[in-house]
Amino acid sequence: MSILNSTAAILRLMSSLKRGVTVTDLVEHLQFPKSTASRVLKQLAEAGFLERDASSLAYQPGLMLLEVTHLVRRNSSLTDLIEQALRELCASTGHTGYLSVLDGNDVLVLRVLPGLHALRVIRNAGSRSPAWGTSTGRALLARLPDTQLNAQFRAVLSPANDLPMHFTQLMDRLAVVRRCHWASAVNEAVAGAASVSCAVGDPHSGETVAFCLTFPSSMADDAEIQRLSRLLCAAAAQIGKKVGDPYWFR
């Protein structure tokens, strides 16, 4: 078990440092004795888990790890990963879950996971809403560049159109989402409903999916919204790291 624990610690260190590691790194960060650090890295390289760069002498992930990573990506789509995490969140909170994507100026519901509370399915798979008016939509929009947002929504959300939100208000709310990585809504798209959302993108497939927990607005006090945001962000960060989403590395 000691070699397994050492291997896990080394891989976590690589992930944390975002680079290859040396004997010195293991001594400084993991408190390995120098002889142990040298021996373990050499064993992992001989087994194919790591490869040593000839110029920097740092150990990088080897071909074996890269092949396994590719297999995980191929067998687990972003949508499936998010649905699995969301099912666990729905079971633990009792709230209803949604998976959604952007489609033009709308947010499109892909999947619905009914909760246990009185407020269950309030939108069906395939339903649409203006992206700017939902928490899932804003979680997705916050990932887009300002130039694209300006092109898509400045005219739509002009004060002349008499909508509940103007473009400047949207940008103010997206700035908050970009800082905290989650969005919320209370009595917006659906009266009596509240939601908290996150979004994860797969840079390899180009797919970006938002997921949310929806619940009665009577339960939407600050404590509950903050609790759900922590749960969602933790799940999103785990998935984001798995698919390589830089949004969740910051």
Side-chain angles (χ1 to χ4, degrees):
M1 289 299 294
S2 61
I3 186 63
L4 292 178
N5 292 335
S6 296
T7 301
I10 292 168
L11 294 178
R12 284 194 292 267
L13 180 61
M14 282 186 179
S15 177
S16 175
L17 297 177
K18 297 179 176 59
R19 60 170 173 79
V21 295
T22 63
V23 170
T24 301
D25 289 323
L26 271 60
V27 172
E28 292 182 355
H29 296 279
L30 302 179
Q31 287 74 54
F32 281 20
K34 186 174 181 180
S35 59
T36 301
S38 178
R39 174 175 52 81
V40 171
L41 288 174
K42 183 178 179 181
Q43 288 175 336
L44 292 176
E46 290 173 348
F49 290 102
L50 302 179
E51 292 180 355
R52 195 175 193 187
D53 184 88
S55 57
S56 68
L57 301 183
Y59 287 84
Q60 310 279 0
L63 182 60
M64 182 185 296
L65 288 179
L66 297 177
E67 289 174 344
V68 172
T69 301
H70 175 72
L71 181 63
V72 171
R73 290 189 188 282
R74 188 179 67 189
N75 291 339
S76 300
S77 72
L78 177 61
T79 303
D80 291 337
L81 289 172
I82 290 178
E83 180 175 349
Q84 180 181 353
L86 189 57
R87 284 190 183 280
E88 295 175 0
L89 290 172
C90 292
S92 65
T93 63
H95 299 329
T96 294
Y98 291 85
L99 279 76
S100 306
V101 295
L102 279 179
D103 186 20
N105 289 355
D106 295 335
V107 62
L108 172 67
V109 176
L110 295 180
R111 301 178 187 178
V112 183
L113 307 179
L116 302 176
H117 298 307
L119 180 67
R120 295 193 176 190
V121 177
I122 52 176
R123 290 191 181 278
N124 296 316
S127 63
R128 295 171 176 270
S129 301
W132 49 266
T134 66
S135 66
T136 49
R138 291 193 291 270
L140 291 163
L141 293 178
R143 300 175 61 99
L144 300 180
D146 288 354
T147 52
Q148 184 174 346
L149 293 170
N150 184 71
Q152 283 188 228
F153 294 101
R154 183 173 289 278
V156 173
L157 296 178
S158 166
N161 292 338
D162 195 28
L163 293 173
M165 186 180 297
H166 299 160
F167 182 72
T168 54
Q169 295 172 312
L170 171 64
M171 296 303 291
D172 288 342
R173 297 192 69 170
L174 295 185
V176 175
V177 178
R178 287 167 173 167
R179 287 197 299 272
C180 65
H181 287 188
W182 56 272
S184 64
V186 180
N187 292 320
E188 289 192 51
V190 177
S195 61
V196 180
S197 304
C198 286
V200 181
D202 185 339
H204 302 278
S205 68
E207 182 183 21
T208 303
V209 179
F211 61 114
C212 77
L213 290 170
T214 300
F215 50 100
S217 58
S218 59
M219 301 174 63
D221 56 21
D222 288 343
E224 180 67 359
I225 290 176
Q226 290 295 328
R227 182 179 78 91
L228 296 179
S229 71
R230 289 191 294 270
L231 292 173
L232 284 164
C233 283
Q238 185 174 8
I239 297 169
K241 290 177 181 178
K242 190 170 188 177
V243 301
D245 181 2
Y247 189 78
W248 290 100
F249 281 85
R250 296 196 296 269

